[in-house]
Amino acid sequence: GAGVSQSPSNKVTEKGKDVELRCDPISGHTALYWYRQRLGQGLEFLIYFQGNSAPDKSGLPSDRFSAERTGESVSTLTIQRTQQEDSAVYLCASSTSGGEYQETQYFGPGTRLLVL
Amino acid sequence: DQQVKQNSPSLSVQEGRISILNCDYTNSMFDYFLWYKKYPAEGPTFLISISSIKDKNEDGRFTVFLNKSAKHLSLHIVPSQPGDSAVYFCAASRNSGYSTLTFGKGTMLLVSP
């Protein structure tokens, strides 16, 4: 079946512009995560959605970052007034649930963002 | 403060030999550990996991060992194959209830023919 897809695969933008990144999770996966990986670093958790519950936004680095998810489908991560330090690979992952046990997270290929 | 550390940024191994990738953690609340493998331009893919109630989990050529007292885990790949060349990320979480994954910086493994 189809895996997690993300678009665009690459994005180059100018400092100060807004960008929107999209994630399509695996059908039926109720949990959706956003991470970012800056050069030479591990993956940093950004935000987590689980069904209709309030999202866990504890990883968002600033108020310029926001994300939305409609039901159990597509999610968009928006970065306003981009800065050069926002340059990173933004990864989306989904899993069957964020319930009692840790479920395997399946990752998309990522969006490579470069802020000039 | 890094809670999951992979101190070796890279490792080179010959085909057929054993690859040992190491990971240390500092948060004693972590009780579930995973290894992910990442090829260039692809997202990480799940490889193997271990719960803190075990000290070893094996899946084919891949074995993960957990030493809770030392807060250390390792991934053994034997025999190593050129297709294993990738970046390997160690991740940790709490298994009880929802918990995000905390990742290390990764170790790049190169298996030469």
Side-chain angles (χ1 to χ4, degrees), chain A residues 19-71:
Chain A
V19 295
E20 192 172 276
L21 313 179
R22 177 187 168 108
C23 171
D24 284 87
I26 293 172
S27 177
H29 280 192
T30 58
L32 186 147
Y33 308 77
W34 282 98
Y35 295 86
R36 76 174 174 183
Q37 184 184 15
R38 290 189 280 191
L39 191 64
Q41 303 296 313
L43 279 71
E44 300 172 67
F45 164 74
L46 296 178
I47 188 169
Y48 160 75
F49 295 91
Q50 169 58 25
N52 293 319
S53 302
D56 177 354
K57 305 179 182 180
S58 61
L60 294 178
S62 78
D63 59 8
R64 296 186 295 104
F65 288 72
S66 63
E68 292 184 351
R69 186 183 187 195
T70 306

Side-chain angles (χ1 to χ4, degrees), chain B residues 44-90:
Chain B
T45 55
F46 171 73
L47 194 56
I48 192 169
S49 64
I50 188 167
S51 166
S52 61
I53 61 173
K54 294 185 173 182
D55 54 19
K56 176 182 174 181
N57 189 26
E58 189 172 351
D59 183 3
R61 298 185 296 114
F62 302 90
T63 303
V64 56
F65 295 92
L66 176 62
N67 182 335
K68 288 188 291 292
S69 60
K71 293 193 179 67
H72 176 84
L73 64 154
S74 60
L75 174 68
H76 293 211
I77 307 173
V78 55
S80 302
Q81 300 173 353
D84 297 330
S85 298
V87 177
Y88 289 78
F89 290 99
C90 172

Side-chain angles (χ1 to χ4, degrees), chain A:
Chain A
V4 178
S5 61
Q6 292 186 246
S7 61
S9 54
N10 293 282
K11 176 72 177 178
V12 180
T13 190
E14 292 179 347
K15 177 182 171 180
K17 300 280 178 117
D18 298 351
V19 295
E20 192 172 276
L21 313 179
R22 177 187 168 108
C23 171
D24 284 87
I26 293 172
S27 177
H29 280 192
T30 58
L32 186 147
Y33 308 77
W34 282 98
Y35 295 86
R36 76 174 174 183
Q37 184 184 15
R38 290 189 280 191
L39 191 64
Q41 303 296 313
L43 279 71
E44 300 172 67
F45 164 74
L46 296 178
I47 188 169
Y48 160 75
F49 295 91
Q50 169 58 25
N52 293 319
S53 302
D56 177 354
K57 305 179 182 180
S58 61
L60 294 178
S62 78
D63 59 8
R64 296 186 295 104
F65 288 72
S66 63
E68 292 184 351
R69 186 183 187 195
T70 306
E72 294 180 356
S73 61
V74 171
S75 175
T76 55
L77 176 69
T78 302
I79 310 173
Q80 296 178 309
R81 305 180 303 281
T82 52
Q83 303 295 312
Q84 289 180 331
E85 63 262 28
D86 299 334
S87 297
V89 177
Y90 289 81
L91 289 154
C92 174
S94 69
S95 67
T96 52
S97 78
E100 185 177 357
Y101 299 103
Q102 179 67 250
E103 298 289 346
T104 298
Q105 295 180 27
Y106 296 86
F107 283 82
T111 293
R112 283 149 196 80
L113 175 66
L114 177 61
V115 182
L116 300 176

Side-chain angles (χ1 to χ4, degrees), chain B residues 12-73:
Chain B
S12 293
V13 172
Q14 280 194 315
E15 181 177 9
R17 308 292 286 266
I18 185 170
S19 295
I20 300 177
L21 297 105
N22 293 303
C23 178
D24 298 286
Y25 61 97
T26 58
N27 188 339
S28 58
M29 300 300 287
F30 288 147
D31 55 8
Y32 191 68
F33 306 89
L34 309 89
W35 285 93
Y36 279 81
K37 172 176 159 179
K38 184 181 184 300
Y39 292 117
E42 295 183 11
T45 55
F46 171 73
L47 194 56
I48 192 169
S49 64
I50 188 167
S51 166
S52 61
I53 61 173
K54 294 185 173 182
D55 54 19
K56 176 182 174 181
N57 189 26
E58 189 172 351
D59 183 3
R61 298 185 296 114
F62 302 90
T63 303
V64 56
F65 295 92
L66 176 62
N67 182 335
K68 288 188 291 292
S69 60
K71 293 193 179 67
H72 176 84
L73 64 154

